[in-house]
Amino acid sequence: MNRLLSFVFFLCLGLSMQVTAVTYQGQLEDSSGPFTGTVPMLFSLYEAPEDGEPIAMFDAGSVNVVGGLFQVDLEFGGVFDGRTFWLEIVVDGSTLNQRQRISAVPQAHHAATTPAYCQSGGPLIGMRDDGKPLCGLDGVVSVSASFEHACAALDDGSAWCWGSTNDGRLGNGEGIEDNTGPYPGGVRVRVDNRGTDGGPLLDVVQVTTGENFSCARDAIGQIWCWGYNNRGQLGIGSTSLPLRLSRAAKTLLSNGEPLADAVHVVAGSEHACAIRENGSLWCWGDNSDGQLGIGSTESQPRAQPVIDERDRQLQGVSGASASRDHTCAFNNSGSAWCWGFGSSGQLGNGKSGSTSRATPVLAAEDQPLEGVAGIAAQGSASCALINPGADGRIYCWGSASGGILGNGENADIRLFPVQVHIDDQGDDGGPLVGARGIAEAPSFPSGSGHLCAIRDNGSVWCWGRGTSGELGDGESSDRTRAVQARLGRGGRDAGPLTGISQVSVGRGMSCAVSDAGSAWCWGGNSTGELGIGWVTGGSLSRIPRATPVTRYVAHDE
């Protein structure tokens, strides 16, 4: 029987300084709905949300469940002394959901006034400290990971962001004149109406995140951006008025009209680019290294067309990726270009030098790279997906620092593409094959970072920097070859992450969207950027396996 535990609330029966018992109330469901019957339950108490040994355990034996509801009196001894603990529940031998954060408080504090379900429609996956449900994001169609925040678009047209509110990057109207946040779960992005709240941003189909700003594309092709604007990265026509926006505003074309026919948008550190319906690529924001591809190094507060080495507008573009100081794109014929800063060979043109115009990526000297169906610009390297499907492969070029090239090296510079390989317990497991997707909206470290790819079976494989747990393999170390990302449940390994349709990497973190429409993140979480319901610090700030993203609020607001 596939049982799913949905936490409702817990009541503390002891009122003294040292509580010895708590009454736990919960809801248990299987695939057919609320469960009725008896089932063995084991409750364990931990001092951390991940890993570690239990400090107390209580075997409840066979628990009677009626209509999905049950109640258990837990005897843990005198361990409740005002501290916060983490409760793990095993039902019939299976660990359910992530550990739940609990603390001992008087019984009256937890009056059962909050419904034990998510009015938003998302799955109930835990409880907040205030006794309200912790609800997962569902219906996710796009996710983008940054550094201290991330965002998602849902199939109802809403956009949600989580993590640090600094500079207004979450788009919820906060983070400029106040010190709110961080938000360890999704908050709704809203529209700017001349400095006031114009209501929620609607009809969103895609999101992308920069270092301290975010953008979204709506169903009619308009681009909306919010956050820091010091380099013109919002595309609103100015770099200083305003310097920051905490709600979404429309990006403008070079003629001052709104960009209204975009089919895709990508953000780098402090610049962004959009593909238009006619196949041209337009970029705006920071251009100090020529990363806008417009033939100069002057930053632009409005979208400008990318040009090639002959000063012609780039045409037929079907995909793009922006990093800190370089950008790459590919067309519907499988050819690729890169431009911007190139001292480590990250432009793939066989040279170590910069250019402000789109330059073809080469497979070898005077031989263009062909069959490109996905591209990722990442720090001092770039990677491409070639011939996606059963024979799909990933090729990378630039600096191998941190293992970002995925070929087993961590120091060399490669001016031409090398193939990503699989890690087999520290040995070379051969080329990674069967790739059908590569990470979208890569991040922007000035040096090395990490990347991920999706294979034909929906599994996720990552390589490069891993010190924050961003590779998702349960470890916190760099990998020079690809390792498989895994699910985490209660601090334990719950098997490989599968059924994934999109993956995005940020600095020190990664996120993915499943075929079922749920979002998962892993890596650093010091500002709540994983969106998993809480902020973690110190040695616990790393969550090295995939964990479900939540809404910060339990109900529709």
Side-chain angles (χ1 to χ4, degrees):
M1 179 177 293
N2 180 22
R3 301 184 178 101
L4 170 65
L5 181 64
S6 298
F7 302 110
V8 182
F9 54 88
F10 66 94
L11 303 180
C12 184
L13 297 184
L15 300 181
S16 63
M17 288 299 292
Q18 280 213 336
V19 176
T20 61
V22 295
T23 295
Y24 187 91
Q25 297 179 345
Q27 181 176 327
L28 191 65
E29 297 182 354
D30 59 20
S31 58
S32 61
F35 174 74
T36 295
T38 59
V39 62
M41 294 189 186
L42 175 66
F43 296 79
S44 300
L45 207 59
Y46 292 80
E47 293 182 300
E50 294 273 349
D51 302 322
E53 296 296 325
I55 62 171
M57 301 179 69
F58 180 78
D59 188 346
S62 294
V63 176
N64 188 38
V65 184
V66 179
L69 302 178
F70 67 90
Q71 177 172 305
V72 182
D73 293 329
L74 308 179
E75 293 283 349
F76 284 127
V79 298
F80 284 104
D81 54 6
R83 293 179 294 164
T84 294
F85 296 94
W86 303 82
L87 184 67
E88 179 178 280
I89 305 174
V90 176
V91 176
D92 199 17
S94 298
T95 303
L96 300 180
N97 298 338
Q98 59 201 33
R99 294 177 188 170
Q100 179 189 2
R101 193 174 184 175
I102 65 172
S103 58
V105 293
Q107 179 174 351
H109 182 76
H110 285 290
T113 57
T114 301
Y117 60 90
C118 296
Q119 292 182 358
S120 61
L124 181 62
I125 61 175
M127 292 296 295
R128 287 166 43 180
D129 285 345
D130 57 9
K132 293 181 179 180
L134 190 62
C135 302
L137 282 180
D138 63 331
V140 178
V141 296
S142 170
V143 70
S144 181
S146 178
F147 169 39
E148 294 182 335
H149 80 292
C151 297
L154 274 56
D155 57 9
D156 62 2
S158 62
W160 300 70
C161 296
W162 54 91
S164 170
T165 62
N166 288 351
D167 303 313
R169 68 189 71 179
L170 300 190
N172 67 329
E174 302 177 20
I176 296 179
E177 296 180 354
D178 46 32
N179 294 315
T180 56
Y183 287 105
V187 292
R188 187 83 180 264
V189 177
R190 307 186 72 82
V191 172
D192 181 81
N193 182 19
R194 298 183 180 182
T196 63
D197 189 348
L201 182 61
L202 303 175
D203 300 323
V204 176
V205 295
Q206 186 209 344
V207 291
T208 185
T209 53
E211 184 169 2
N212 46 25
F213 76 108
S214 312
C215 295
R217 175 174 60 91
D218 68 21
I220 64 173
Q222 297 179 119
I223 301 299
W224 302 77
C225 296
W226 57 93
Y228 204 35
N229 192 41
N230 63 321
R231 299 285 188 174
Q233 56 263 52
L234 303 189
I236 57 177
S238 171
T239 60
S240 59
L241 297 173
L243 179 61
R244 299 173 177 86
L245 268 178
S246 62
R247 302 180 185 92
K250 292 180 182 179
T251 293
L252 306 177
L253 292 169
S254 53
N255 62 7
E257 295 294 321
L259 200 171
D261 61 349
V263 296
H264 195 70
V265 61
V266 295
S269 178
E270 295 178 325
H271 76 291
C273 300
I275 304 171
R276 301 182 68 182
E277 287 181 350
N278 63 4
S280 60
L281 183 66
W282 294 61
C283 299
W284 61 93
D286 182 25
N287 194 35
S288 54
D289 292 292
Q291 58 263 54
L292 299 189
I294 60 176
S296 73
T297 55
E298 181 180 352
S299 297
Q300 298 292 327
R302 295 174 180 169
Q304 309 287 334
V306 175
I307 58 176
D308 64 16
E309 295 174 302
R310 298 182 181 180
D311 289 338
R312 302 171 303 186
Q313 281 194 28
L314 210 57
Q315 297 293 332
V317 177
S318 54
S321 177
S323 184
R324 172 176 290 276
D325 42 30
H326 80 288
T327 310
C328 296
F330 65 94
N331 67 9
N332 48 25
S333 297
S335 299
W337 299 264
C338 293
W339 57 93
F341 193 64
S343 66
S344 296
Q346 59 263 54
L347 303 187
N349 58 0
K351 305 174 184 178
S352 294
S354 303
T355 177
S356 61
R357 294 173 174 83
T359 304
V361 176
L362 304 177
E365 193 71 40
D366 298 323
Q367 179 183 336
L369 185 64
E370 298 177 343
V372 178
I375 203 156
Q378 173 65 304
S380 298
S382 305
C383 296
L385 167 65
I386 307 295
N387 300 323
D391 194 43
R393 298 169 187 251
I394 306 293
Y395 287 83
C396 299
W397 57 92
S399 171
S401 177
I404 185 64
L405 300 188
N407 67 331
E409 301 172 345
N410 62 7
D412 294 339
I413 288 178
R414 294 286 189 164
L415 299 181
F416 298 107
V418 293
Q419 191 168 352
V420 173
H421 282 224
I422 286 176
D423 182 275
D424 182 11
Q425 297 182 340
D427 296 327
D428 188 343
L432 188 155
V433 296
R436 63 173 170 85
I438 193 168
E440 295 186 10
S443 186
F444 27 79
S446 56
S448 60
H450 75 291
L451 275 172
C452 299
I454 305 172
R455 298 181 77 178
D456 235 9
N457 60 2
S459 60
V460 175
W461 295 73
C462 303
W463 62 94
R465 289 291 184 204
T467 53
S468 295
E470 58 263 58
L471 303 185
D473 63 339
E475 305 294 335
S476 298
S477 57
D478 299 347
R479 301 288 190 177
T480 61
R481 302 181 184 92
V483 291
Q484 188 169 8
R486 305 187 69 82
L487 288 168
R489 183 177 293 127
R492 296 192 178 100
D493 190 308
L497 178 64
T498 58
I500 297 302
S501 58
Q502 186 228 327
V503 63
S504 173
V505 302
R507 187 163 66 186
M509 65 176 295
S510 307
C511 294
V513 179
S514 74
D515 294 333
S518 58
W520 302 76
C521 292
W522 58 94
N525 192 45
S526 59
T527 61
E529 58 264 46
L530 300 188
I532 59 177
W534 61 84
V535 177
T536 51
S539 61
L540 299 176
S541 64
R542 298 182 294 272
I543 309 295
R545 301 181 185 91
T547 305
V549 175
T550 70
R551 301 172 189 252
Y552 180 74
V553 293
H555 312 309
D556 292 322
E557 293 185 358

